[in-house]
């Protein structure tokens, strides 16, 4: 098995809690060959923990290094398109954390470079690689038999779990001017979608769609295909909570996202027919190897009969990287590629348009 030399751009929360430990576990597949971050303390921490990692002063130097085979773009969302374009031009394999970009325009700019690119670009939608999700595909009712779909994201943010379970470094040594520039660039990209004069709650709603909700929007499409349209979308709680109805023709898919500070995680996808219910149940991804479960309930002569598959302790992030490595080795195309992510962002833009309509009432 070929060992791929990885360079990580961005060493924040997801790199420390997830990607670096998984890469270390899968040492037969990967070696951590290089790192870059705008925080000197993060670089010092990661190179002390992973001695094979060389420090690169700039992201571009890491991307263009002949000692790097695959670039993990784990930096802030506003930088994704720039670093991915550079990695494509350098003909490197790419793992791109979601969201791939913040706008369809950015993705189209990147897609224009793809015809000459012969490596693997993999977008990290880890819920689509969770064991329960993979098992669910064989248990779903026939598409024509589906009568209803519910998707929940009733959760608290990752910091509620990480600060109680891991020693993640949140740096204080990033140049304030750099942070301010990143905030300005991110806001400009978001306002391309929501509008220059959009209220703060609509801005927050779109940030939630591209962050938390992107996982389940992608997972929904992976299971059910493309919805015909967004029937309705509404935001509450300052934009932190969203309710969306997707039109699949003969059935509707209802999605609810509720983000609070309770410190609980309740995420689920449920697909129903008249005689079967398939339910995928997720726990927080911020604590590795917490189990997913699949429940399949069928109508029986004595009443409902439920089979529970799991708890399944296979880590979604570990599965994701194993599958990424397989695509690199076999030269095959990931399901979660850039064109797939473009459909997510186009759907999110439609959601924002429906939210604008509901906000006028």
């Amino acid at each position: 098995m070929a060992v791929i030399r990885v360079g990580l751009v961005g060493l924040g929360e997801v790199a420390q809690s997830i990607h670096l430990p998984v890469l270390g576990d899968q040492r037969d597949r990967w070696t951590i060959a290089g790192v870059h971050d705008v925080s000197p303390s993060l670089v010092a921490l990661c190179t002390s923990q992973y001695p094979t990692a060389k420090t690169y002063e700039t992201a571009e130097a890491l991307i263009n290094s002949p000692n790097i085979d695959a670039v993990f773009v784990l930096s802030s969302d506003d930088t994704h398109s720039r670093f991915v374009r550079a990695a494509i031009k350098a003909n490197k394999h790419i793992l791109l954390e979601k969201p791939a970009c913040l706008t369809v325009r950015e993705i189209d700019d990147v897609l224009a470079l793809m015809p000459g690119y012969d490596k693997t670009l993999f977008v990290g939608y880890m819920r689509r690689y969770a064991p329960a999700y993979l098992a669910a595909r064989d248990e779903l009712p026939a598409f024509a038999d589906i009568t209803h779909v519910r998707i929940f994201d009733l959760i608290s943010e990752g910091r509620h779990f990480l600060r109680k379970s891991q020693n993640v470094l949140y740096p204080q040594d990033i140049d304030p001017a750099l942070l301010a520039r990143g905030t300005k660039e991110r806001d400009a990209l978001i306002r391309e979608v929501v509008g220059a004069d959009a209220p703060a709650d609509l801005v927050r709603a779109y940030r939630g769609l591209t962050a938390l909700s992107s996982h389940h929007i992608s997972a929904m499409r992976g299971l059910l295909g493309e919805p015909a349209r967004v029937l309705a979308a509404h935001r509450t709680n300052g934009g932190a909570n969203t309710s969306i109805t997707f039109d699949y023709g003969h059935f509707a898919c209802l999605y609810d996202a509720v983000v609070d500070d309770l410190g609980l995680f309740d995420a689920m996808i449920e697909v129903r027919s008249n005689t079967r219910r398939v339910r995928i149940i997720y726990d927080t991804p911020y604590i590795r190897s917490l189990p997913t479960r699949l429940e399949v309930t069928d109508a029986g002569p004595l009443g409902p009969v439920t089979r529970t598959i799991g708890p399944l302790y296979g880590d979604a992030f570990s599965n994701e990287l194993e599958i990424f490595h397989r695509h690199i080795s076999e030269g095959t195309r990931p399901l979660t590629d850039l064109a797939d992510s473009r459909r997510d962002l186009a759907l999110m833009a439609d959601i924002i348009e429906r939210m604008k309509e509901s906000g006028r009432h």
Side-chain angles (χ1 to χ4, degrees):
M1 183 182 300
V3 176
I4 307 297
R5 299 171 296 178
V6 173
L8 288 82
V9 177
L11 299 173
E13 192 176 81
V14 72
Q16 294 174 64
S17 63
I18 301 295
H19 288 295
L20 285 165
V22 173
L23 287 167
D25 286 350
Q26 296 182 9
R27 53 192 172 276
D28 58 331
R29 293 177 171 85
W30 316 96
T31 184
I32 301 167
V35 293
H36 167 75
D37 196 275
V38 294
S39 163
S41 62
L42 277 181
V43 171
L45 173 67
C46 292
T47 52
S48 70
Q49 294 177 333
Y50 301 93
T52 58
K54 176 184 174 182
T55 300
Y56 289 85
E57 291 300 317
T58 67
E60 288 75 15
L62 181 150
I63 289 167
N64 290 300
S65 170
N67 298 315
I68 300 295
D69 303 313
V71 177
F72 281 38
V73 179
L74 313 177
S75 50
S76 59
D77 300 343
D78 53 285
T79 66
H80 284 187
S81 63
R82 173 161 56 98
F83 294 150
V84 171
R85 287 198 305 270
I88 289 173
K89 290 177 181 177
N91 209 34
K92 300 297 174 72
H93 301 290
I94 304 165
L95 185 136
L96 174 59
E97 260 298 340
K98 61 81 196 164
C101 297
L102 288 172
T103 68
V104 170
R105 175 189 61 78
E106 292 175 283
I107 282 196
D108 285 343
D109 289 345
V110 177
L111 284 171
L113 302 175
M114 295 297 285
Y117 176 68
D118 62 3
K119 295 295 194 297
T120 300
L121 196 160
F122 185 103
V123 182
Y125 282 114
M126 52 80 190
R127 284 192 194 176
R128 287 178 68 169
Y129 299 98
Y133 181 90
L134 298 175
R137 296 181 302 184
D138 295 328
E139 301 287 350
L140 291 179
F143 185 80
D145 294 336
I146 296 174
T147 57
H148 189 68
V149 177
R150 294 189 302 159
I151 303 177
F152 289 166
D153 270 318
L154 313 180
I155 68 175
S156 301
E157 293 179 345
R159 58 188 168 85
H160 290 277
F161 308 99
L162 286 174
R163 288 176 176 169
K164 298 176 179 66
S165 63
Q166 300 181 46
N167 189 18
V168 173
L169 174 61
Y170 296 93
Q172 303 296 319
D173 58 355
I174 300 175
D175 180 354
L178 188 62
L179 287 174
R181 184 165 71 247
T183 298
K184 183 178 180 180
E185 291 173 355
R186 183 166 56 253
D187 184 68
L189 289 168
I190 290 172
R191 289 186 181 279
E192 284 187 32
V193 180
V194 302
D197 300 322
D201 65 335
L202 190 62
V203 171
R204 185 175 182 185
Y206 187 67
R207 291 184 66 177
L209 288 171
T210 58
L212 156 71
S213 296
S214 65
H215 281 296
H216 262 157
I217 289 173
S218 178
M220 174 190 77
R221 292 179 42 258
L223 285 177
L224 307 173
E226 308 299 325
R229 56 179 173 151
V230 179
L231 277 175
H234 192 64
R235 67 203 186 268
T236 55
N237 192 23
N241 300 349
T242 57
S243 297
I244 305 163
T245 304
F246 297 99
D247 177 11
Y248 274 91
H250 64 286
F251 68 90
C253 173
L254 308 184
Y255 172 69
D256 281 307
V258 176
V259 181
D260 58 31
D261 292 324
L262 194 57
L264 295 175
F265 196 95
D266 182 8
M268 182 199 74
I269 301 174
E270 180 181 277
V271 181
R272 286 175 173 261
S273 71
N274 282 325
T275 57
R276 169 166 283 202
R277 183 187 73 186
V278 177
R279 180 180 287 178
I280 307 167
I281 303 166
Y282 295 94
D283 211 323
T284 175
Y286 286 99
I287 300 175
R288 288 184 56 206
S289 295
L290 287 182
T292 54
R293 297 197 312 280
L294 179 65
E295 293 180 355
V296 181
T297 301
D298 290 296
L302 301 178
V305 178
T306 298
R307 292 182 289 122
T308 299
I309 302 171
L312 300 170
Y313 288 96
D315 178 58
F317 284 102
S318 297
N319 284 358
E320 179 182 73
L321 290 198
E322 289 177 6
I323 293 170
F324 178 39
H325 190 280
R326 191 183 313 148
H327 284 303
I328 291 173
S329 300
E330 298 175 359
T332 49
R333 180 176 174 177
L335 294 173
T336 53
D337 63 4
L338 207 58
D340 182 74
S341 286
R342 187 192 189 281
R343 290 190 283 273
D344 291 327
L345 282 173
L347 196 55
M348 292 173 199
D350 290 343
I351 292 167
I352 289 298
E353 292 307 307
R354 299 290 82 73
M355 284 188 179
K356 289 178 181 178
E357 293 172 0
S358 71
R360 288 198 292 266
H361 297 304

